[in-house]
């Protein structure tokens, strides 16, 4: 079936880096962009960025710009998200999500129709 | 940047109808998507393109969007509908999604 499977939980110290993977299966990998969304404990959803699995082009959010790198490996249908210089407020569950594109009067509007199970990342000294 | 406003909480008795609003400037001109997130789980898309439902979502879930308010309506609410609900639109200028702050639906 169509699914995204993420790597396991991580515990990191401040200043360290983390890299979370998101492996897709059950569909044509390069037809859909993948977004990363995180959720701090008890908080809402925060978009971090997206990557085109077809071209590798990216768009990062200002909240993580300069610290985040998203890459794609079409041979394994896997997307990676690396976040550097970790801080305590990076503690969150990190989700990857498949972006399904819809077109409307304003251009396009992507909805996230498939989500990974989430990866808990704890940043603590 | 574009802002979406949701009420923090909505409460409803079983069998009644829950309406969750999502406010934004002229949101009626944008496509709105809705997600349900149960505790400890990933979000699930329940409404896309204002009012369309994925095949696995029951007909009890519906959406509307006009003016400055989009609404997710859940009819004949069940205990299993208790969850956080998030609205989302696309910011075309920045080419990225915008999420509402989320609404916790409590089934009394």
């Amino acid at each position: 079936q169509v699914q995204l499977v993420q790597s396991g939980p991580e515990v990191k110290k401040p200043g360290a880096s983390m890299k979370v993977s998101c492996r897709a299966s059950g569909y044509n990998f390069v037809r859909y962009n993948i977004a990363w969304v995180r959720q701090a404990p008890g908080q809402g959803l925060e978009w971090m960025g997206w990557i085109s699995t077809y071209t590798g082009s990216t768009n990062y959010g200002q909240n993580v710009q300069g610290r985040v790198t998203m890459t794609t490996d079409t041979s394994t249908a896997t997307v990676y998200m690396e976040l550097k210089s970790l801080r305590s407020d990076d503690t969150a569950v990190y989700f990857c999500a498949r972006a399904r594109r819809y077109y409307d009067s304003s251009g396009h509007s992507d909805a996230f129709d498939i989500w990974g199970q989430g990866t808990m990342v704890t940043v603590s000294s | 940047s574009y802002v979406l406003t949701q009420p923090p909480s909505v409460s409803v008795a079983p069998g009644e109808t829950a309406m969750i609003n999502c406010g934004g400037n002229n949101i009626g001109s944008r496509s709105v998507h809705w997600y349900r997130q149960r505790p400890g789980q990933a979000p699930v898309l329940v409404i896309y393109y204002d009012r369309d439902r994925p095949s696995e979502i029951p007909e009890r879930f519906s959406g509307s969007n006009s003016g400055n308010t989009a609404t997710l309506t859940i009819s004949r609410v069940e205990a299993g509908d208790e969850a956080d609900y998030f609205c989302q639109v696309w910011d075309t200028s920045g080419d990225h999604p915008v999420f509402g702050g989320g609404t916790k639906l409590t089934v009394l």
Side-chain angles (χ1 to χ4, degrees), chain A residues 2 8 12 16 18 20 25 31 33 46 48-49 63 91 95-96 116:
Chain A
V2 177
K12 297 291 184 181
M18 69 172 199
V20 180
S25 61
R31 285 195 61 186
N33 293 347
E46 180 187 22
M48 299 178 66
N63 53 339
T91 294
F95 296 101
C96 61

Side-chain angles (χ1 to χ4, degrees), chain A residues 65-86:
Chain A
Q65 183 83 39
R67 295 197 297 135
V68 70
T69 303
M70 297 176 187
T71 55
T72 183
D73 182 346
T74 55
S75 68
T76 60
T78 302
V79 170
Y80 298 91
M81 187 279 295
E82 182 177 22
L83 190 61
K84 303 176 180 178
S85 303
L86 290 170

Side-chain angles (χ1 to χ4, degrees), chain A residues 5 7 29 34 42-44 47 51 53-54 57 65-67 70 77 83 92-93 97 102 107-108 112 121 123-124:
Chain A
V5 179
S7 49
F29 178 67
I34 294 289
Q43 301 302 306
W47 173 76
I51 183 167
T53 55
Y54 182 64
S57 63
Q65 183 83 39
R67 295 197 297 135
M70 297 176 187
L83 190 61
V93 177
Y102 300 94
H108 74 84
F112 303 114
V121 176
V123 182
S124 174

